[in-house]
Amino acid sequence: MFGMEPVLCWGAVLLSLCAGADVRVRSCSEVRQAYSAKGFSLASVPYQEIAGEHLRICPQEYTCCTSEMEDKLSQQSKLEFESLVEETSHFVRATFVSWHRKFDEFFRELLKNAEKSLNDMFVNTYGMLYMQNTEVFQDLFTELKRYYTGGNVNLEEILNDFWARLLERMFQLINPQYHFSEDYLECVSKYTDQLKPFGDIPRKLKVQVTRALIAARTFVQGLTVGREVANRVSKISPNPGCIRALMKMLYCPYCRGLPSVRPCSNYCLNVMKGCLANQADLDIEWNLFIDAMLLVVDRLEGPFNIESVMGPIDVKISEAIVNMQENSVQVSGKVFLGCGQPKSPPLLRLSRSFSENNNVRFHPYTAEERPTTAAITSLDRLRTLWRTMQNAVIEIKDKLKVSKKLWSSLPHAICKEVRITGENPNEDKCWNGQTRARYLPEIMNDGLINQINNPEVDVDITRPDTFIRQQIMALRVITNKLKNAYNGNDVNFQDTSEETSGSGSGSGCTDDICPTEFDFITTEAPLFDSDRGEMDFSAGSQISQSHFTVLICVILVLQRQWR
């Protein structure tokens, strides 16, 4: 009886060793299959578990991973994380890219068409008289386009210069009996604000044009900045601490022989909040930026939207010219008092000049003669495009609202991916970083400072990411610009004008201004007699004024037909 005890003891030891041998030689076939599916070679993959003392990231227990496998899977986890961040933020980046292209194309086309519309109409109506002064209008649109494309241009100075130059040219037209020197014309331009020869239109147009162009330019700049920030932030590589955490979450199950087990949802959240801690800090400035963009979108829909301002700008300039014509006598008189009596040119030169400039035949278009030039097609196309853009404004408002909290929501969006946590996560049988069981640690809050106790990712909260801080500053700058644009101010241009409503986008003539039919021909200017000098000067002025009134009425009738 006593002699049987050693036999039983040895039997127990043998059974124990056999059982241990069974554990150590567990097959790695499932791991080999999953590893091969990732595109890796099976040359270094063991057929059964081996001792895990060589592992640097995963638990150092019996494993199906070699050191080479751990390195490759670690790199794979980094690539998959970068891909997940890019894919999850793709809809926002795509929104900014596509809408920037659409709005920029429209605004450029609108400016181009406004210039072409005015030029075509005035060439057809005004002929050589307009063509001799066309650079005044060309320079205006050149500067407006330069401002829109980012030039350091003061819109108020552009418009003030335009009206001053237009006053100089018109003053010579309504006073052809005089010769004006450059110094005299410079004196005339100084009276623009005091005399208000064009009525209140320059002041109103200045408010409308500056507010519309500031909003349009800044909105497109906002789309550019949003696109660039989203692109840059979505491509930031994870740091070494994040890569270790990603490897442990995504591929340590492979090393434990559990390739089909997915991470626990809360475990995934803590890993992602640690890896995206700096990106989450972008959220505050990003949300303020989106709010400011939405404010400017309201301007694109309001009374100062660029289409309603630039579309009828030719009409408004024509109305201003009519005002100048109606007040030409008073304007000339006040200028003569302020700048002195101008000199008269030699009689021969005056006669020839006046005859050449006024030997033009004008008559109003009938319904059958309605212009069918390319400008009409261009206007129709632009109106169609604007209707499309009005729908786009509504759509982009919805897109912008969805993009709020983009960066702080990334961890949740990624951890909801089926390829990460599975289709129906089982929180009791998921990978918790060590084994297949429930994940117990609490979920961290968003942002760098809140990762001080993150159990999964080693985060240095004392060293914010410099690149992310640069993007935060870029957002602050454009947000400030957008807020200024909403209020009608540019960072380099402060509009002190009172906000007023526009003078209307239509055109028309009253019965006492536009005759229904007329045929006006001037072949020669009257010569001046020394005894009748005052009367002849007056007559010459009246002829010029009548000619100019007829001209303006033709312009306005054309505009009514064209629109």
Side-chain angles (χ1 to χ4, degrees):
M1 189 84 171
F2 178 79
M4 290 294 294
E5 289 181 1
V7 177
L8 292 174
C9 289
W10 280 109
V13 171
L14 289 172
L15 287 173
S16 176
L17 289 173
C18 290
D22 289 341
V23 172
R24 289 196 298 272
V25 298
R26 189 164 55 183
S27 173
C28 292
S29 60
E30 189 177 350
V31 175
R32 288 173 61 85
Q33 183 178 356
Y35 189 74
S36 176
K38 293 290 181 181
F40 297 119
S41 170
L42 295 176
S44 62
V45 183
Y47 286 92
Q48 59 188 19
E49 290 184 328
I50 59 177
E53 291 86 355
H54 58 279
L55 298 178
R56 292 177 292 107
I57 299 175
C58 297
Q60 293 182 335
E61 301 176 5
Y62 283 101
T63 182
C64 287
C65 288
T66 61
S67 295
E68 181 183 348
M69 290 176 63
E70 189 179 40
D71 290 340
K72 288 183 177 180
L73 290 172
S74 181
Q75 180 63 22
Q76 180 68 18
S77 66
K78 173 183 177 293
L79 296 176
E80 290 183 8
F81 170 77
E82 291 173 342
S83 176
L84 281 167
V85 172
E86 283 205 50
E87 290 176 18
T88 307
S89 61
H90 173 74
F91 79 97
V92 171
R93 292 183 288 113
T95 294
F96 280 95
V97 170
S98 62
W99 290 114
H100 173 271
R101 183 175 61 253
K102 291 178 182 178
F103 277 98
D104 183 54
E105 177 186 340
F106 171 73
F107 293 147
R108 288 174 184 268
E109 183 69 17
L110 181 61
L111 289 169
K112 178 182 176 182
N113 191 82
E115 179 180 15
K116 188 177 187 303
S117 176
L118 184 146
N119 183 73
D120 288 348
M121 181 178 62
F122 275 80
V123 166
N124 291 333
T125 307
Y126 209 168
M128 287 301 300
L129 292 178
Y130 165 71
M131 295 174 69
Q132 290 169 355
N133 299 282
T134 186
E135 74 275 4
V136 176
F137 301 91
Q138 289 177 344
D139 290 347
L140 170 64
F141 283 100
T142 296
E143 290 301 295
L144 293 179
K145 287 184 281 189
R146 191 161 74 90
Y147 171 83
Y148 171 75
T149 55
N152 186 19
V153 177
N154 188 312
L155 285 176
E156 184 173 350
E157 290 181 0
I158 291 173
L159 294 167
N160 288 344
D161 182 63
F162 167 73
W163 292 113
R165 293 178 66 190
L166 187 59
L167 174 60
E168 291 178 11
R169 301 301 176 92
M170 287 192 61
F171 191 77
Q172 295 177 80
L173 286 175
I174 64 177
N175 294 285
Q177 66 274 32
Y178 296 115
H179 171 72
F180 300 101
S181 66
E182 291 296 325
D183 291 339
Y184 194 96
L185 291 176
E186 184 177 349
C187 178
V188 172
S189 65
K190 292 179 180 178
Y191 280 82
T192 305
D193 292 335
Q194 181 180 343
L195 297 176
K196 297 188 183 303
F198 300 107
D200 201 34
I201 291 174
R203 184 183 67 84
K204 290 182 177 180
L205 197 60
K206 180 172 67 175
V207 174
Q208 295 168 340
V209 170
T210 53
R211 287 180 180 270
L213 276 176
I214 287 169
R217 181 175 86 159
T218 311
F219 180 72
V220 171
Q221 287 177 342
L223 291 173
T224 301
V225 173
R227 176 192 67 194
E228 293 303 317
V229 169
N231 279 335
R232 291 167 182 165
V233 174
S234 65
K235 290 179 170 60
I236 294 180
S237 298
N239 59 39
C242 172
I243 295 174
R244 288 179 60 90
L246 291 169
M247 169 61 194
K248 186 177 178 181
M249 180 184 78
L250 296 174
Y251 289 112
C252 281
Y254 278 51
C255 296
R256 290 302 309 275
L258 304 169
S260 61
V261 178
R262 302 299 178 89
C264 301
S265 296
N266 290 350
Y267 174 38
C268 175
L269 284 174
N270 273 345
V271 172
M272 293 302 162
K273 284 175 181 281
C275 287
L276 298 169
N278 283 283
Q279 285 86 335
D281 282 347
L282 194 72
D283 225 36
I284 295 176
E285 292 300 331
W286 178 266
N287 292 341
L288 292 174
F289 160 69
I290 295 299
D291 288 338
M293 286 287 287
L294 289 170
L295 286 176
V296 177
V297 170
D298 290 338
R299 282 285 181 252
L300 298 181
E301 294 181 302
F304 290 104
N305 76 74
I306 189 172
E307 193 277 339
S308 67
V309 172
M310 295 306 301
I313 194 172
D314 49 0
V315 177
K316 294 174 183 179
I317 292 175
S318 295
E319 291 173 354
I321 293 175
V322 170
N323 285 334
M324 172 68 181
Q325 170 62 22
E326 291 175 345
N327 298 299
S328 60
V329 176
Q330 296 91 324
V331 170
S332 297
K334 291 180 180 179
V335 170
F336 293 160
L337 287 175
C339 299
Q341 190 70 23
K343 297 179 181 180
S344 299
L347 295 182
L348 181 60
R349 184 191 303 171
L350 173 63
S351 176
R352 183 185 301 116
S353 176
F354 190 75
S355 175
E356 290 173 352
N357 281 313
N358 291 279
N359 189 18
V360 182
R361 182 185 181 93
F362 294 98
H363 65 89
Y365 281 99
T366 64
E368 291 75 17
E369 294 174 311
R370 184 175 185 271
T372 57
T373 64
I376 301 299
T377 304
S378 180
L379 282 170
D380 291 340
R381 186 173 65 84
L382 194 61
R383 291 190 182 108
T384 301
L385 180 59
W386 175 243
R387 284 192 292 269
T388 303
M389 294 311 297
Q390 286 177 313
N391 294 329
V393 168
I394 297 173
E395 185 175 348
I396 198 171
K397 287 175 72 173
D398 295 334
K399 297 280 189 180
L400 288 171
K401 290 174 183 177
V402 171
S403 71
K404 290 189 71 173
K405 297 185 178 180
L406 166 66
W407 307 107
S408 63
S409 65
L410 273 182
H412 295 272
I414 291 174
C415 291
K416 286 181 180 177
E417 288 282 332
V418 173
R419 54 183 154 162
I420 300 298
T421 54
E423 189 170 355
N424 297 302
N426 185 334
E427 295 303 316
D428 289 319
K429 295 182 179 181
C430 53
W431 177 253
N432 66 6
Q434 296 294 328
T435 187
R436 180 166 48 188
R438 176 173 287 274
Y439 183 75
L440 299 178
E442 65 176 348
I443 302 175
M444 299 293 101
N445 291 324
D446 299 319
L448 183 64
I449 194 67
N450 292 311
Q451 306 311 310
I452 187 170
N453 294 317
N454 191 310
E456 308 306 335
V457 187
D458 184 16
V459 181
D460 186 353
I461 65 170
T462 65
R463 299 181 62 184
D465 186 278
T466 303
F467 188 76
I468 292 291
R469 267 40 194 181
Q470 291 174 349
Q471 308 314 305
I472 288 176
M473 289 305 301
L475 289 174
R476 285 177 181 170
V477 170
I478 191 61
T479 298
N480 182 58
K481 285 186 177 182
L482 289 164
K483 289 179 178 178
N484 274 288
Y486 175 74
N487 293 320
N489 301 321
D490 201 354
V491 288
N492 296 319
F493 168 74
Q494 298 297 318
D495 184 4
T496 57
S497 302
E498 178 183 341
E499 182 174 337
T500 58
S501 60
S503 57
S505 59
S507 62
C509 299
T510 57
D511 292 337
D512 59 332
I513 296 179
C514 293
T516 55
E517 293 182 4
F518 54 85
D519 215 8
F520 184 79
I521 308 174
T522 300
T523 57
E524 186 175 357
L527 296 177
F528 300 108
D529 183 85
S530 58
D531 296 328
R532 299 176 61 233
E534 182 176 352
M535 181 181 296
D536 287 338
F537 273 115
S538 174
S541 179
Q542 291 300 317
I543 290 173
S544 177
Q545 293 171 7
S546 299
H547 167 245
F548 215 81
T549 300
V550 168
L551 173 63
I552 297 307
C553 291
V554 171
I555 294 171
L556 296 179
V557 167
L558 274 175
Q559 289 171 331
R560 172 182 290 178
Q561 291 175 335
W562 282 25
R563 296 178 186 276

